[in-house]
Amino acid sequence: MRVKKQKRHRKVVRFFSACFGFREPFKVLCDGTFVHHLLLHRLTPADDALSRLLGGRALLSTTRCIIGELKSLGESHYESLAAAQQLITARCDHERRVSAMACIESVIGEGNSEHYFVATQDADIRKKFREVPGIPVIYGLRNSLFIEQPSAPQREYVKSTEEKRLHASESEFRKLLKRELKDGLANDSGNEVLEEAPLTRKISTAKKMLGVAEMSKFKRKKAKGPNPLSCKKKKRKDDSLVQKNEGNKSTFMLTLEEQEEREVLG
């Protein structure tokens, strides 16, 4: 079971690395509930536990608002406060303390340019970032850590961006055509031909310059000959002639012997 869980986690990390550009060392933004969970279940040192989860070196960080929230919880979270103060403090521009969700949203921004993993035990925060593309969520369950699988909106976003990347826009086609004319790929007479050319020809030319591959054409499978190992060997004509001659020779010899016996008896 442990091997299967590690494979699932590595697959999620590869997904976000390939589609959103996450790179090692991985940045993990922890809130107060996650830090408290690590201490409660003795998942220490925390950076080693998260490095094993992500399959690479991890850098843990938090914010001033989250530290202030832990201070407001009193002595019951004193150890969590001390542990959070040892983490890297991510910059947040809040003069007054805001909630952990609002602070994390402001630090991450719209596109998660810093490529943060969000580590939290708050169900509302997990639900919130599950709908946002490019933000993987880490949570704990007893003495184990997990990465949430990419949600359906995140997969749809990746699929749509991939299609946009493969299909150039009309403005890009125009730029490529202008560049083609500027580089001297078409002379004055060629310009007239190019203007009269159909749109499909322009699109194919632009795609070639962009390096976008055309849709693959499926080849029909042609009928192949039989397996030579499963066929009987053909008899050569020479062998059949030799056998026929030998048979003729034997009958010829028998007729000579019969003639000699007839002469002796006669």
Side-chain angles (χ1 to χ4, degrees), residues 132-156:
V132 181
I135 303 179
V137 179
I138 299 173
Y139 65 97
L141 185 62
R142 298 185 183 88
N143 60 347
S144 299
L145 298 178
F146 295 88
I147 309 175
E148 285 195 355
Q149 296 292 321
S151 61
Q154 291 175 341
R155 293 185 182 276
E156 288 295 330

Side-chain angles (χ1 to χ4, degrees), residues 87-191:
L87 304 180
I88 300 171
T89 304
R91 182 179 178 180
C92 66
D93 299 327
H94 301 125
E95 296 180 359
R96 295 184 179 180
R97 179 170 63 86
V98 297
S99 63
M101 180 185 292
C103 187
I104 291 172
E105 284 181 352
S106 65
V107 171
I108 288 176
E110 294 183 358
N112 193 11
S113 59
E114 294 295 328
H115 300 113
Y116 278 111
F117 286 82
V118 176
T120 180
Q121 296 296 108
D122 193 331
D124 294 333
I125 297 177
R126 288 171 56 186
K127 184 178 179 180
K128 171 72 176 179
F129 290 117
R130 198 178 294 137
E131 304 297 325
V132 181
I135 303 179
V137 179
I138 299 173
Y139 65 97
L141 185 62
R142 298 185 183 88
N143 60 347
S144 299
L145 298 178
F146 295 88
I147 309 175
E148 285 195 355
Q149 296 292 321
S151 61
Q154 291 175 341
R155 293 185 182 276
E156 288 295 330
Y157 175 82
V158 171
K159 187 177 180 180
S160 62
T161 52
E162 185 69 16
E163 290 179 355
K164 289 180 181 178
R165 188 179 67 83
L166 292 176
H167 297 83
S169 61
E170 186 178 353
S171 61
E172 291 175 341
F173 287 144
R174 291 177 181 176
K175 289 179 182 179
L176 288 170
L177 292 173
K178 289 180 180 179
R179 187 184 301 173
E180 184 180 357
L181 295 173
K182 187 177 179 181
D183 292 342
L185 295 178
N187 52 16
D188 296 336
S189 60
N191 292 340

Side-chain angles (χ1 to χ4, degrees), residues 196-252:
E196 295 176 358
L199 182 60
T200 55
R201 185 177 175 183
K202 295 180 182 180
I203 291 173
S204 62
T205 306
K207 282 187 176 182
K208 286 180 181 178
M209 295 185 67
L210 278 174
V212 178
E214 296 286 344
M215 294 181 65
S216 59
K217 297 179 180 179
F218 294 96
K219 296 181 180 179
R220 293 184 178 179
K221 293 184 178 180
K222 296 181 180 180
K224 298 180 180 179
N227 188 357
L229 299 176
S230 63
C231 300
K232 293 183 178 181
K233 292 183 179 180
K234 294 182 179 180
K235 294 183 178 180
R236 293 185 298 180
K237 293 183 179 179
D238 298 340
D239 296 340
S240 60
L241 289 174
V242 170
Q243 292 178 1
K244 187 175 181 181
N245 293 332
E246 288 179 354
N248 294 334
K249 186 177 179 182
S250 61
T251 55
F252 179 71

